[in-house]
Amino acid sequence: MDSILQIVKNINNVLWSYLLIFLLCGTGIMFTVMLKGVQVTRFMDSVRRVFHRGSRKGKADSQGMNSFQSLATAVAAQVGTGNLAGAATAIAAGGPGAIFWMWVTAFFGMATIFAEAVLAQIYKEDINGEVRGGPAFYISKGLKCKGLAVFFSITIIIALGFVGNMVQANSIGEAFNEAFGINPIIMGAVTVVIAGLIFKGGVKQIASFTEKVVPFMAVLYIIGGLYILLSNLSGTIHGIEMIFVGAFNPRAATGGLLGVGVKQAVRYGVARGLFSNEAGMGSTPHAHAIAKVRNPVDQGIVAMFGVFFDTFIILTITALIILSNVPIDGKMTGISLTQFAFKQGMGQLGTIFVAVALLFFAFSTIIGWYFFGEANIRYLFSSKKSVDIYSYVVLVFIFLGCLLKVELVWELADMFNGLMVLPNIIALIGLSGVVKKGLEEYNRKEGNFK
């Protein structure tokens, strides 16, 4: 077991410390240039669409969801434990400056996710009366590469549907055991029952869940976070200063306590940022593919808001709470660092607040990731029986996830997450001309060439 763990760790080191950082960031920069800064020129348009009542028109059915429901399903997957534990891990390993590089990554990632959503819309398919789409579909139809599409489908089913959901469930079990002393077996059973009911309801139930829960959990977290930050305004301002100073002089930001350099700040900021907002990873296009919109570019514009919200709002609030309430010395990391920071800001209520936030974040991610895996099950097998079997297996992994904490499971999740990125990036680069042409035609049609 130890030898297998070491092999997986070595693969992850190559994937996440070197290869994927350059591929994902490079792709984001490429699309930013190619699409003439679409994340800037169309940003206000993105915000307007998200909050406009028109994006909520129409009900979810076998032919898809309305634009807001698709975005909510994508955000449900994006905003997970990484927004609580990921920020803490990046700060502990790369210093406060890592957050600055998370922002940079998210900025370019907004262009990447625009491209993913547009391609997902263009190449979506009707499979036995159910509309589905995603990287496997645009790889096979756009690139004409069936083998690569199958590889992507297998890796995302394992990465998100099985192993990833096991990790999310474990976070729920741990948080509630620490905050309320609830036995993980009980939390596992409750999580499985609720998730099973949502899975059984199909796309209608998933859309209904995400469009209600995602806004609620967002507002809850933002209000709680702003309360802490405004209660300690001087500490918050100092935290912001630490982020900008630490981006280029990490030792100055922490008084030399961490001993990290700019290279580490960049490495951990970029890696955790990519993992958090999922831009370029090939996950969220499954949700954007089934949005009922007039033009594929419409959903690409909406999709950008998901990355902005995940990183610039939720993750930034977490980071500032940590920086304004806890000395950064590298002795504490992960969710324990986040919980400690909230406890400093809210008292004992902080531990409970994090547990509740983690429940919403992790459970919504479970629903989103299940849906993404299901789209690929349909791509591979296109039968209802295969979807039923998949849902039962996912529920088993969720239950086991609440009970177990095996380091190998965490490492496997990272490895399969990394592997599924590779075929998606190949497709994004290969089909970049399709995205560019789609935006240019859209701009001309709208009479708003940029």
Side-chain angles (χ1 to χ4, degrees), residues 27-39 107-109 111:
T27 302
I29 293 170
M30 179 194 77
F31 276 115
T32 297
V33 174
M34 181 178 287
L35 304 177
K36 300 178 181 178
V38 66
Q39 66 269 59
F107 174 77
F108 291 117

Side-chain angles (χ1 to χ4, degrees), residues 88-89 91-96 242 250 253-260 322-323 325-333 336-337 340:
T89 302
I91 291 170
M242 289 172 71
T254 60
L257 289 175
L258 282 183
V260 300
I322 292 170
L323 293 174
N325 287 279
V326 184
I328 306 303
D329 55 12
K331 294 178 182 178
M332 195 181 296
T333 187
S336 59
L337 175 57
F340 183 73

